[in-house]
Amino acid sequence: MKLVIHSSPLEGRDEEFNEWYDTVHLKEVLDIPGVASGARYRVRSAGRGPGTEHRYATVYEIDGNPEAVLAEIFARSRDGRFQLSDSIDAAGTRMHFWEEL
């Protein structure tokens, strides 16, 4: 199963956002039991159809219970175990679990 997170930094803060995501946040999420790996992506072009509202995506491989992983993400966000950056557009962030067909 994959957990896909779509996110964008606040305007003009890409460098700060990417530094935080690559050196802090990715490692924090990978420390959660049930998260096996993660990779970040930047949108290259819109391709066909309407453009994307997000400039970045992170794809995590989940080998544990997805509900438990999601609960742990929310718990760590609330209690301060995640060092969250104010460079992220938190309100615009989206996350979805994807299962292989």
Side-chain angles (χ1 to χ4, degrees):
M1 177 160 303
K2 309 279 189 218
L3 171 60
V4 180
I5 312 250
H6 294 95
S7 59
S8 293
L10 295 173
E11 192 62 40
R13 297 184 69 185
D14 282 67
E15 187 175 327
E16 179 184 353
F17 170 81
N18 286 316
E19 174 72 17
W20 163 75
Y21 217 116
D22 290 340
T23 63
V24 177
H25 192 59
L26 189 62
K27 294 174 186 176
E28 290 175 330
V29 176
L30 291 173
D31 281 342
I32 294 174
V35 179
S37 64
R40 294 194 62 224
Y41 300 88
R42 175 179 49 229
V43 68
R44 181 168 175 190
S45 69
R48 293 183 62 174
T52 179
E53 65 181 278
H54 298 97
R55 296 196 304 271
Y56 298 94
T58 307
V59 179
Y60 295 100
E61 180 67 35
I62 306 300
D63 64 3
N65 178 306
E67 288 77 20
V69 168
L70 190 58
E72 190 62 20
I73 288 172
F74 290 140
R76 292 179 187 207
S77 294
R78 279 191 310 270
D79 68 17
R81 286 180 283 167
F82 277 172
Q83 297 176 45
L84 299 177
S85 172
D86 66 355
S87 66
I88 190 170
D89 175 9
T93 299
R94 302 291 180 260
M95 62 173 58
H96 303 281
F97 285 101
W98 294 77
E99 58 187 357
E100 189 171 341
L101 296 177

